[in-house]
Structure formats: C-alpha cells, structure tokens
C-alpha cells in the first residue's frame, strides 16, 4: 500500500494476508475474521497520577464490561523488564481480547492484587484503542486503588 509516496509495509502485509492468506489453505480470511468479532488487539494507555506516592508495584489487571452483562477475560497489564505504573508515568500495553462491539458506553474495570511494598496506586485514567476500528475510548478514574479503599474500580468509558 502506498501512503504519501512511501510503501507502508505493515499495511501491505495485512492487505496481502486478508486477500490471499498466509501461505496456508483456508487462512485467506484470517485477518478479516480477526477484525469482525472474534478477538481484537487493543492498545491500552494507563496514566498514573503525578501526586506523591501515586505509583505501585502491584500486579494490575483490566476487564472490559460490554453491554448486556458480557465481559472480556481479565488481562494482565505488564511489560516484562519495565517498571510499570510509576508516579506520573504513561504506560502502553497491547492486549488481545474478545471483541463484543463498540467501546462506546462500555465500562472498564481495573483490579490490583495489592502486592508489593508500594501497593497503593492513584490511577488518573485509561484510554483504549481498538486497532481494527480505530475507535478510542477513555475511562477517567482519578482515584486511589488500594487495600484501604478497595482494590477494584469500574468506570464508564466514553
């Protein structure tokens, strides 16, 4: 695919796999079905507040709560070798979850296991982008997630 006079290699590969498969019979529609309801890749950006002792060393998980009572599986937010969720940090994660439709009017649940020396965490917000549709939604938390006030929090995504 040509974009601004330059070949966008990733777009070309995705288009090729969608059209012709990936060298295996029956795989021609793998990319199409990937973006049509089975599972989607989401880019998750987590904004830890920039207030005193806002960071955490706990293990953090997320779940998307779709309309009608359906929820995604829990996904752990972690990049090996990186110190995630530090005060004032923005951390990005790539998460694969079942796609149950639009992110609009869903809710996001964040859960901490409360482990580590720094278990209290002040979460500002989380943005999620569906890489298949380009849709972006934000859940604003602006609250502590800790043993004393609760290790789980759910907010509406807009």
């Amino acid at each position: 695919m040509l974009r601004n006079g330059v070949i966008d290699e990733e777009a070309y590969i995705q288009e090729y796999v969608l059209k012709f498969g990936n060298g295996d019979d029956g795989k021609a529609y793998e990319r199409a079905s990937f973006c049509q309801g089975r599972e989607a890749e989401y880019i998750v950006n987590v904004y830890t507040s920039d207030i005193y002792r806002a960071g955490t060393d706990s293990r953090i998980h997320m779940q998307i709560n779709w309309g009608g009572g359906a929820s995604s599986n829990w996904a752990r937010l972690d990049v090996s070798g990186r110190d995630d969720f530090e005060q004032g940090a923005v951390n990005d994660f790539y998460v694969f979850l079942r796609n149950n439709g639009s992110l609009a009017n869903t809710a996001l649940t964040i859960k901490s296991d409360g482990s580590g020396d720094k278990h209290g965490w002040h979460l500002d917000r989380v943005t999620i982008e569906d890489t298949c549709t380009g849709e972006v939604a934000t859940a604003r938390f602006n609250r502590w997630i800790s043993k004393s006030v609760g290790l789980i929090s759910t907010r509406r995504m807009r």
Side-chain angles (χ1 to χ4, degrees), residues 6 8 13 31 50 55 57 61 63 67-68 70 78 105 124 130 135 140 142 148 152 157:
V6 178
D8 182 344
I13 292 168
R31 180 71 184 168
D50 192 18
D57 292 329
H61 294 80
Q63 180 182 58
D78 181 51
N105 299 317
D124 181 42
D130 181 332
E135 180 184 18
R140 299 198 177 278
N142 192 29
S148 60
I152 193 165
M157 292 181 52

Side-chain angles (χ1 to χ4, degrees), residues 43-48 56-60 76-86 89-95:
I43 300 172
V44 179
N45 292 299
V46 178
Y47 296 77
T48 299
T56 189
D57 292 329
S58 297
R59 286 183 285 282
I60 305 297
R76 181 162 178 209
L77 301 177
D78 181 51
V79 173
S80 182
R82 182 175 80 185
D83 198 4
D84 299 316
F85 314 114
E86 293 302 301
V90 179
N91 298 118
D92 58 323
F93 304 92
Y94 294 86
V95 177

Side-chain angles (χ1 to χ4, degrees), residues 31-45:
R31 180 71 184 168
S33 63
F34 179 81
C35 286
Q36 292 179 8
R38 290 189 182 169
E39 191 173 75
E41 178 184 39
Y42 296 95
I43 300 172
V44 179
N45 292 299

